[in-house]
Amino acid sequence: MEHAINTNQNTAKYDFAIIGGGIVGMATAYRLAQRHPNARLVVLEKESAVGLHQTGRNSGVLHSGIYYQPGSMKAKTCREGKLSMEAFCSEHSIAWNQCGKLIVAIDETEVPALDRIFQRGLANGVVCRKVDRLEMREIEPHAAGVAAIHVRETGIVDYVAVTNQLKKILHDRHQAVRLNTTFLKASVAKNEVQIETSSGLIQAGYLINCGGLYCDKIMQRCGSKPPVKIVPFRGEYYLIRPNAWGLCRGLIYPVPDPSFPFLGVHFTRMIDGGLECGPNAVLALGREAYDWKSIHVSETLATLCNPGFLRLAGKYWRTGASEVYRSLSKAAFVTALQRLVPDITAADLTPAPAGIRAQAVTADGKLVDDFLIVHQERMTHVLNAPSPAATASLEIGNAIVQSLPQGM
Ligand SMILES: Cc1cc2nc3c(=O)[nH]c(=O)nc-3n(C[C@H](O)[C@H](O)[C@H](O)COP(=O)(O)OP(=O)(O)OC[C@H]3O[C@@H](n4cnc5c(N)ncnc54)[C@H](O)[C@@H]3O)c2cc1C
């Protein structure tokens, strides 16, 4: 696909339109620009800057890929994506650091689950090893627990800095990143996609939906029924005061619950030197409702009427209730943290901005585990890109570009 021209004063024409200026959309645009240097592309972002939602509100971890089902898209793109991300950051002078991660079994009952993660890590080619209590203390002197996996290659980075760098590269290549531009709807007509936005009509040869928390809605507005629905789970964090930074050198994580791999508060060293802890996971009362005071009534009602969510909630209401309790009670949050690091106290914590995970749920109430990307005529929809999609973004972008039909 080659140069597109503006044939009409009101309708801009592009080869590719990408919805969403989060890290997945920007990485996809970057890979497209690499693969098709003569194509014209546009990123449509409704906010006044890129990376303001999931991308700008996450833990900033460069995941190793230890948790994911071997052979899954998550496992493959996380492993490859971590290397690509590290190389990208080094090339563009963005700070990153392999600070290492300890996954801790608090007591003997958690050791079999720890072993299963270790086997998964080996199957995925992760550089990791099991350590006993003594060695754990050498790595993280304040960590509790009886055994751990040490993943030396896990790192940290600032994903907003990466996303802004991607934007700069696109800009330098004369590609368009249109901020304050909301995608409204699209339809395929003849050999192109007609796209209505808040700032006018666009024509594109191909549309890629990387709309994060709104990806299912966007697919609907493209005239198709999404096979899954997004349920927004808010994760709340606390910053740790500088006097307690010595309690964690790198990353300290619990053994995850396989049904909810994203649950379990942890300690995260940040690339700016700070330390944070969290997140928990509660149902957000709106896709961008970042605290309990923000309520988007119609979005909340839609979630509460979603049969998939109701089935999920019916099965796991106890887990949900304890997460809500931890959200409302700082003392309960601190107790969860003290399982990992007993010396942490409530006085060490100050509230930090929350993030919201776009988790796809099926109609029969299952959390979609792997990344989910659906292709249609002249359109691709990224429908599930939760963690580790920031780590994996450059390779998710690659996979999307490689999967486009011949001639695109
Ligand atoms: C609490 C939390 C912790 C996490 N920790 C990590 C981690 O440590 N490591 C890791 O690898 N991953 C982590 N993740 C996951 C990671 O942040 C996401 O997988 C990744 O950011 C997804 O990027 P995205 O571009 O798909 O979505 P987003 O960053 O949400 O971007 C989507 C963009 O689409 C835009 N948009 C939506 N609708 C429209 C519309 N109609 N028109 C125009 N634009 C629109 C939005 O404004 C937004 O900018 C975490 C996520 C959360 C929430």
Side-chain angles (χ1 to χ4, degrees), residues 264-321:
V265 290
H266 47 256
F267 290 77
T268 312
R269 176 65 53 191
M270 292 183 294
I271 197 67
D272 64 4
L275 187 64
E276 70 175 13
C277 56
N280 58 355
V282 293
L283 179 70
L285 302 179
R287 296 185 184 218
E288 294 173 356
Y290 289 106
D291 57 44
W292 284 116
K293 285 182 225 126
S294 323
I295 303 179
H296 191 300
V297 177
S298 64
E299 288 180 2
T300 305
L301 284 176
T303 300
L304 295 178
C305 297
N306 166 6
F309 171 73
L310 291 176
R311 288 195 180 96
L312 184 75
K315 202 164 162 198
Y316 295 107
W317 65 270
R318 272 178 218 281
T319 312

Side-chain angles (χ1 to χ4, degrees), residues 19-26 44-47 49-63 159 181-184 210-215 218 221 233-237 253 279 288 354-358 371 382 385-392:
I19 305 168
I23 199 164
V24 173
M26 297 301 286
L44 307 173
E45 168 52 56
K46 67 182 166 59
E47 304 292 350
V50 294
L52 289 190
H53 290 288
Q54 295 177 92
T55 299
R57 293 168 166 270
N58 61 36
S59 303
V61 177
L62 275 162
H63 286 293
Y159 287 117
T181 303
T182 303
F183 163 88
L184 299 175
C210 301
L213 287 151
Y214 285 97
C215 60
I218 290 170
R221 288 184 209 140
F233 287 105
R234 190 171 67 238
E236 292 148 332
Y237 291 92
Y253 276 57
E288 294 173 356
I356 300 184
R357 302 172 182 87
F371 296 146
V382 179
S387 187
T391 308

Side-chain angles (χ1 to χ4, degrees), residues 191-207:
N191 291 330
E192 61 198 13
V193 190
Q194 303 271 2
I195 304 169
E196 282 181 41
T197 79
S198 57
S199 51
L201 195 65
I202 283 175
Q203 289 173 5
Y206 201 91
L207 179 147

